Amino acid sequence: MTTNPFRVAIVGAGPAGIYAADLLTKAERDFEVSIDLFERLPTPFGLVRYGVAPDHPRIKGIINALIKVLDRGDIRLFSNV
Ligand SMILES: Cc1cc2nc3c(=O)[nH]c(=O)nc-3n(C[C@H](O)[C@H](O)[C@H](O)COP(=O)(O)OP(=O)(O)OC[C@H]3O[C@@H](n4cnc5c(N)ncnc54)[C@H](O)[C@@H]3O)c2cc1C
């Protein structure tokens, strides 16, 4: 028997939204989860991308961890929404 996945919508693809999606996909459970991440801007990463200045490379580096989460392909990102 196939069951539909439990569908979750997360609003905002800043660090909080992406880490929440990451934890939900990794959590131990006995059912499938499908996560859709909605971002109103054209690109993800929120204030880490748009607010933190380039002369703070250590903070900006968080983006590399966030990219790895999105690159896994198990979280759908809808930008400009
Ligand atoms: C100038 C500056 C310097 C900073 N320096 C540091 C620092 O040195 N160290 C540090 O730890 N933190 C720093 N921060 C804070 C860091 O940027 C935030 O802690 C972090 O970005 C918060 O993540 P968040 O996901 O909660 O929110 P955000 O980064 O604000 O992400 C929220 C996302 O949700 C989207 N969104 C909001 N409403 C909607 C909606 N209705 N529909 C769709 N999308 C929506 C936004 O477009 C955004 O992309 C700094 C911030 C600024 C502005």
Side-chain angles (χ1 to χ4, degrees):
M1 186 177 89
T2 56
T3 54
N4 291 326
F6 183 70
R7 299 195 63 192
V8 178
I10 295 176
V11 178
I18 295 175
Y19 280 126
D22 186 34
L23 288 175
L24 280 170
T25 52
K26 287 178 177 168
E28 196 174 315
R29 54 190 147 65
D30 54 6
F31 54 89
E32 289 295 308
V33 170
S34 154
I35 297 175
D36 294 337
L37 194 51
F38 293 93
E39 171 55 52
R40 74 174 157 204
L41 297 174
T43 52
F45 313 131
L47 279 173
V48 173
R49 180 180 202 131
Y50 291 105
V52 179
D55 61 347
H56 290 78
R58 197 176 61 80
I59 300 299
K60 282 264 188 222
I62 293 169
I63 287 179
N64 297 325
L66 300 175
I67 286 171
K68 281 185 189 159
V69 174
L70 295 181
D71 272 356
R72 285 204 315 256
D74 52 358
I75 297 162
R76 296 197 305 175
L77 172 65
F78 297 89
S79 300
N80 272 328
V81 178

